[in-house]
């Protein structure tokens, strides 16, 4: 098994199941940040493979950890997203930009 970031209670759950996990707490800030992004990519792929509420919740939990790591509050992120949606729209209309012709 390759090393990966796991939820905080996973080592305890493994111990409760009668197994002995080997783990450590990542103390290197840059490595932790990379592990967060790796985890988000993993969860995004799992959601793409199986779009369901459980996979969406996993993505949300990683997202929440990412913004907390950079000292952001969910309410501030949501407020910014709402402002951008109001000004520029969202992604629900399925618009795909093909190219932009530049007039001379």
């Amino acid at each position: 098994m390759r090393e990966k970031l796991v939820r905080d209670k996973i080592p305890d759950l493994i111990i409760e199941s009668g197994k002995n996990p080997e783990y450590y707490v990542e103390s290197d800030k840059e490595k932790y940040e990379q592990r967060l992004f790796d985890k988000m990519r993993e969860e995004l792929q799992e959601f793409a493979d199986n779009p369901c509420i459980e996979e969406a919740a996993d993505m949300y939990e990683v997202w929440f950890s990412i913004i907390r790591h950079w000292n952001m509050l969910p309410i501030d992120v949501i407020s910014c997203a709402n402002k951008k949606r109001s000004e520029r729209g969202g992604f629900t209309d399925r618009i795909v930009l093909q190219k932009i012709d530049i007039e001379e």
Side-chain angles (χ1 to χ4, degrees), residues 34 70 72 75 91:
Q34 185 59 52
W70 273 277
M72 297 177 207
I75 191 70
F91 296 97

Side-chain angles (χ1 to χ4, degrees), residues 25-97:
V25 174
E26 183 61 74
S27 60
D28 184 284
K29 180 179 178 268
E30 290 175 3
K31 287 181 182 177
Y32 174 64
E33 291 167 356
Q34 185 59 52
R35 289 185 187 283
L36 281 170
F37 293 133
D38 291 344
K39 190 66 174 183
M40 182 55 90
R41 281 188 282 277
E42 175 189 332
E43 298 302 344
L44 180 60
Q45 185 59 56
E46 289 177 6
F47 183 83
D49 294 343
N50 181 27
C52 65
I53 196 77
E54 290 83 8
E55 297 302 344
D58 288 343
M59 287 188 308
Y60 173 81
E61 190 62 36
V62 177
W63 171 80
F64 189 77
S65 295
I66 288 171
I67 66 166
R68 280 189 27 212
H69 178 72
W70 273 277
N71 299 313
M72 297 177 207
L73 297 173
I75 191 70
D76 294 334
V77 175
I78 291 167
S79 177
C80 182
N82 287 337
K83 182 176 186 252
K84 290 180 88 168
R85 187 180 312 107
S86 175
E87 294 171 355
R88 305 182 80 173
F91 296 97
T92 57
D93 291 345
R94 302 179 184 192
I95 296 170
V96 178
L97 185 65

